Amino acid sequence: QVQLVESGGGLVQAGGSLSLSCEASGSTVRSYAIGWFRQAPGKEREFVADISVRGDSRYYDLFARGRFFISRDNATYTTYLQMNSLKPEDTAVYFCAAQRFTVRVTSPHFWGQGTQVTVSS
């Protein structure tokens, strides 16, 4: 069992930055790839970025490339999502998710509760 807790969301003006954190806990947490997803009101949840267990492989959806950066600290089991040049369309609830024994997070085993990001124009 893995528990995921997101933090760092909030209200920011367009063009600003936010850094989200995802703290993982559980006896097997070291073997999980971590991904970030988001869900805007009235829309389906969508993939943002993911990072492999060792942090040597990262993948971003098109809208995130060049603006968002995912990283992880395996000493503290924390994964970060640095978001720059934010746009109003980035407004959503952001979730982190974990999937075991994989490089990419395509079918997460565990989800966090989400953190709200609101970008004002």
Side-chain angles (χ1 to χ4, degrees):
Q1 190 78 7
V2 171
Q3 294 79 43
L4 304 170
V5 178
E6 302 96 334
S7 62
L11 174 64
V12 64
Q13 287 188 332
S17 299
L18 277 177
S19 181
L20 305 183
S21 299
C22 172
E23 295 186 38
S25 60
S27 60
T28 59
V29 66
R30 293 181 181 181
S31 59
Y32 283 80
I34 302 293
W36 284 97
F37 297 75
R38 70 183 187 182
Q39 187 167 20
K43 296 186 177 181
E44 294 187 354
R45 190 175 298 185
E46 63 177 350
F47 171 79
V48 178
D50 62 22
I51 188 166
S52 60
V53 171
R54 292 183 296 178
D56 53 355
S57 176
R58 299 178 176 90
Y59 192 82
Y60 301 88
D61 204 319
L62 281 175
F63 70 83
R65 294 178 190 176
R67 297 192 299 129
F68 295 4
F69 182 73
I70 189 170
S71 62
R72 66 188 292 165
D73 182 346
N74 283 340
T76 62
Y77 307 131
T78 303
T79 301
Y80 303 95
L81 184 68
Q82 176 67 38
M83 305 187 295
N84 302 317
S85 302
L86 284 163
K87 306 174 182 179
E89 51 264 42
D90 293 319
T91 295
V93 178
Y94 284 70
F95 301 87
C96 65
Q99 185 171 341
R100 200 175 185 187
F101 299 138
T102 182
V103 175
R104 299 291 318 283
V105 180
T106 56
S107 299
H109 296 116
F110 301 103
W111 291 89
Q113 83 289 349
T115 185
Q116 176 71 46
V117 171
T118 303
V119 184
S120 63
S121 58

